[in-house]
Amino acid sequence: MKVLVACEYSGKVRDAFRAKGHEAMSCDILPTDVEGPHYQGDVHDIINDGWDLMIAHPPCTYLTNSGVTWLHKDPSRWAKLDDGAAFFKMLLEAPVERIAIENPIMHKYAKERIGGVKQSQVVQPWMFGHMEQKATCLWLKNLPLLEPTNNVKEQMLALPDNERQRLHYLPPSADRWKKRSETFQGIADAMAEQWGNL
């Protein structure tokens, strides 16, 4: 299967599919963190190259519900919201047979701008063996829901809040955004295992 992993610099999803024998490539404006097939540039340049599956992780800064209050504090963010939503919608409507788009829970203004398309499901890292919680929405086209592979919710709930919500509690740093945007390995592996068999 020919797989495009859009807006991914970490190579986690790309390499999970490659480990299963698929022809997978990541694409991002950033260089890849791990050597492998990677297009550094605009996804518009390669989106029409005959992909069987696209998994996309578009930037969420202006779309996510957790940042909605900043729209009212900083009017300049509305134009950035419009751009972010237009990019998300372009990926959602891309000429690819099977699509999965990952993003956090959206605020109502973002939902309006992408046409009111509701996410197909919400997954958590603890559904895939990680002792953490971070709600992640998936918008799916011609793909089944992602099935949990190793539910560790009970063990995770026994942890202190700052451990199970580790990413939320990260201290300010230049690369905090980058750490918070990485896909959990268990989710990447589940995508490759379940969607790579279609």
Side-chain angles (χ1 to χ4, degrees):
M1 184 182 289
K2 192 175 174 186
V3 182
L4 172 62
V5 187
C7 313
E8 182 188 58
Y9 62 85
S10 71
K12 284 187 178 178
V13 177
R14 175 199 68 203
D15 291 348
F17 275 90
R18 290 183 65 77
K20 294 289 184 184
H22 299 286
E23 181 187 342
M25 182 173 77
S26 54
C27 170
D28 200 277
I29 57 173
L30 297 174
T32 183
D33 281 355
V34 179
E35 191 173 327
H38 181 75
Y39 179 79
Q40 186 177 350
D42 191 332
V43 70
H44 287 93
D45 298 342
I46 59 169
I47 203 162
N48 294 307
D49 289 358
W51 305 101
D52 300 307
L53 167 64
M54 177 179 69
I55 299 171
H57 310 274
C60 64
T61 304
Y62 303 102
L63 308 178
T64 181
N65 196 47
S66 62
V68 71
T69 56
W70 291 104
L71 286 170
H72 303 291
K73 294 177 181 178
D74 180 0
S76 71
R77 292 174 72 96
W78 288 93
K80 294 173 183 175
L81 163 60
D82 290 337
D83 291 343
F87 183 67
F88 185 100
K89 191 171 181 185
M90 180 279 296
L91 292 170
L92 198 59
E93 296 172 351
V96 179
E97 183 181 352
R98 297 180 181 97
I99 296 174
I101 300 183
E102 172 275 328
N103 241 227
I105 295 171
M106 280 188 181
H107 56 66
K108 66 179 182 179
Y109 307 109
K111 288 178 186 174
E112 289 168 0
R113 284 160 174 76
I114 68 163
V117 182
K118 192 175 190 283
Q119 73 268 6
S120 306
Q121 74 176 126
V122 179
V123 297
Q124 290 275 359
W126 50 259
M127 299 165 78
F128 303 91
H130 297 275
M131 302 280 278
E132 297 186 48
Q133 61 188 58
K134 182 187 179 219
T136 301
C137 299
L138 297 173
W139 284 257
L140 306 175
K141 172 187 164 188
N142 295 327
L143 287 170
L145 298 180
L146 203 59
E147 296 292 331
T149 57
N150 181 15
N151 189 322
V152 293
K153 184 177 182 180
E154 292 305 314
Q155 300 96 305
M156 187 253 338
L157 287 174
L159 295 174
D161 194 50
N162 66 335
E163 287 184 37
R164 66 176 186 257
Q165 293 193 66
R166 175 185 60 87
L167 295 173
H168 177 73
Y169 285 95
L170 284 175
S173 68
D175 63 349
R176 182 177 189 263
W177 66 271
K178 199 173 183 185
K179 291 175 182 174
R180 287 174 53 88
S181 69
E182 275 193 40
T183 302
F184 286 86
Q185 190 64 56
I187 296 176
D189 291 342
M191 289 174 170
E193 180 68 37
Q194 296 175 36
W195 296 340
N197 290 329
L198 299 176

